[in-house]
Amino acid sequence: MKDVKGTIIKIIAEYLDKEEAEISPTATFSEIGLDSLDIMELVMQMQEELDCKIELSQEITTIDKLVELIEKQ
């Protein structure tokens, strides 16, 4: 299986024009600097790149939680 966390961090880092090392998987999306519109755009890109369906909920607030969700599918 693809490196889900690595792929997500890469997508977010590119989107925010930051280094991947600057993106903490335990920081909340808002701490990283993402709003709900950003997240929707990123989720579409992640679904394409990871070839999966992502159903976001209020509990999914960090990269780590998003990785867990994707890996459970």
Side-chain angles (χ1 to χ4, degrees):
M1 186 174 183
K2 270 185 151 173
D3 173 20
V4 175
K5 187 182 290 188
T7 302
I8 290 172
I9 289 174
K10 182 175 75 76
I11 290 169
I12 292 173
E14 284 173 8
Y15 184 83
L16 294 173
D17 199 25
K18 291 186 174 184
E19 295 295 317
E20 287 181 35
E22 292 179 71
I23 309 295
S24 165
T26 57
T28 64
F29 295 128
S30 58
E31 288 170 345
I32 296 170
L34 299 170
D35 63 26
S36 55
L37 196 63
D38 295 327
I39 293 166
M40 291 310 296
E41 273 185 52
L42 288 165
V43 162
M44 287 190 286
Q45 194 177 338
M46 290 170 196
Q47 288 180 141
E48 240 172 72
E49 205 145 319
L50 295 167
D51 192 31
C52 67
K53 183 93 181 89
I54 300 172
E55 290 292 333
L56 280 185
S57 67
Q58 296 297 321
E59 294 83 58
I60 309 299
T61 53
T62 66
I63 293 171
D64 278 346
K65 288 182 180 168
L66 182 56
V67 170
E68 260 178 60
L69 174 79
I70 293 168
E71 288 178 342
K72 273 188 210 161
Q73 293 180 348

